[in-house]
Amino acid sequence: MAIALTAGMRSNLTALQGVDKMMQNTQNRLSTGKRVNSALDDPVNFFKAEDHYNRASDLAAKKDGMGEAIKTIEAANTGIEKIEDLLNQMKSLASAAKTSTNKSDLMSQYDRIISQVAFMAQDSNYGGQNLLNGDSLSVEFNEDGSNTLTVAGFSAATSGSVAGVAIAAANFANNDTIEGGAISQIDAAITQLRTEAQKLSSSLSTISIRSEFTSEMVNTLNTGGDNLTLADMNEEGANMLMLQTRQNLGTTSLSLASQAAQAVLRLF
């Protein structure tokens, strides 16, 4: 059977129940740090924040792809630089042959370096992609993959050619063959390598800028989502103190109402 309460006790009990519910909500906000934890708290802000967080997550995944693309291009640029070093070494040997009496030894060294140029190009891969072996790289910038950049590779070195320029075996018979053959070919190859390196550097710069932009967008989206859902911890702490005070006052009021009911019993 239901227990009959006086009007004063019923009023104080209802107030205490309301304070207890508000304290639970405040405690939840303090523990999670959010004032909007579900769609029940604020459906508009909850779903807006979810959209921001989801897009930020998608863009962060694309940023990882950009980072891998940057490293692939850097590997290719490193390969180009070292191939140019080898070509300059070959050029030094050819120049030295003009005045050398041991041209056969210099020619052997020259030919050995030619093979190393091809090996250098083959070893300039990163993550299974080698821009110096003719591979191409497609980089996605936005979440649905509709904004992309294609980085075209080239054949940096094969047997008998560098960057499409034929490099013949050493022929140091006389100064004319050295200048018009080896040195001329090496200069042309270096010029072509630098042209290709400039193209890769331009792509690298573009991807780096887009990567920085993506990082800023991710931060902006996460901050926007936080602004829609995060609680003001100072405000919630003050609310908790006030609710605890109201709870204590309500308990005191309920006790006084109970004492009034007990006073009636003492009349009998």
Side-chain angles (χ1 to χ4, degrees):
M1 60 180 288
I3 299 175
L5 300 175
T6 65
M9 293 178 68
R10 178 73 64 187
S11 175
N12 283 304
L13 180 59
T14 301
L16 275 173
Q17 290 172 336
V19 170
D20 183 64
K21 183 177 181 180
M22 286 187 288
M23 287 184 70
Q24 290 179 8
N25 290 335
T26 302
Q27 286 173 342
N28 187 43
R29 291 172 181 172
L30 287 170
S31 63
T32 63
K34 292 185 175 183
R35 61 184 171 84
V36 180
N37 288 288
S38 69
L40 296 176
D41 297 326
D42 187 333
V44 175
N45 282 4
F46 177 79
F47 288 113
K48 279 185 178 179
E50 283 297 296
D51 286 342
H52 293 334
Y53 291 139
N54 289 338
R55 188 181 176 211
S57 177
D58 292 340
L59 287 176
K62 298 300 181 183
K63 186 175 181 296
D64 292 339
M66 295 178 216
E68 286 294 282
I70 288 172
K71 291 303 179 184
T72 301
I73 297 174
E74 287 179 347
N77 273 330
T78 300
I80 290 173
E81 290 173 0
K82 299 310 175 185
I83 289 172
E84 186 173 339
D85 288 343
L86 291 175
L87 291 175
N88 283 324
Q89 187 178 351
M90 291 166 60
K91 186 176 180 179
S92 296
L93 292 172
S95 297
K98 293 179 182 179
T99 57
S100 175
T101 58
N102 189 14
K103 293 185 179 182
S104 60
D105 184 51
L106 294 175
M107 290 170 63
S108 297
Q109 294 180 49
Y110 185 96
D111 290 339
R112 281 198 298 270
I113 295 174
I114 290 178
S115 63
Q116 289 302 316
V117 170
F119 293 152
M120 185 79 72
Q122 293 171 11
D123 293 338
S124 298
N125 71 84
Y126 178 87
Q129 290 185 306
N130 190 344
L131 296 176
L132 301 190
N133 197 34
D135 294 346
S136 61
L137 183 66
S138 181
V139 188
E140 295 181 353
F141 293 134
N142 63 340
E143 57 270 34
D144 63 6
S146 59
N147 295 335
T148 62
L149 173 68
T150 299
V151 182
F154 68 103
S155 180
T158 59
S159 178
S161 72
V162 175
V165 177
I167 302 289
N171 179 7
F172 297 164
N174 53 60
N175 288 353
D176 290 338
T177 60
I178 293 173
E179 280 290 346
I183 293 178
S184 177
Q185 293 168 1
I186 290 171
D187 287 342
I190 289 176
T191 298
Q192 188 59 34
L193 279 176
R194 289 174 178 173
T195 298
E196 297 294 342
Q198 191 276 331
K199 294 177 183 177
L200 291 178
S201 295
S202 177
S203 296
L204 178 61
S205 177
T206 299
I207 297 171
S208 297
I209 291 171
R210 286 303 302 251
S211 180
E212 292 172 3
F213 169 77
T214 300
S215 294
E216 293 175 4
M217 278 300 301
V218 168
N219 289 335
T220 298
L221 290 166
N222 283 328
T223 301
D226 290 344
N227 289 341
L228 293 171
T229 58
L230 291 185
D232 184 333
M233 302 303 283
N234 292 326
E235 180 181 353
E236 297 301 332
N239 288 342
M240 178 59 74
L241 289 174
M242 182 55 66
L243 289 171
Q244 289 173 341
T245 301
R246 288 178 61 183
Q247 186 182 52
N248 291 334
L249 291 173
T251 301
T252 301
S253 297
L254 184 60
S255 177
L256 292 174
S258 175
Q259 289 175 10
Q262 290 173 4
V264 174
L265 291 176
R266 286 197 290 270
L267 296 175
F268 299 94

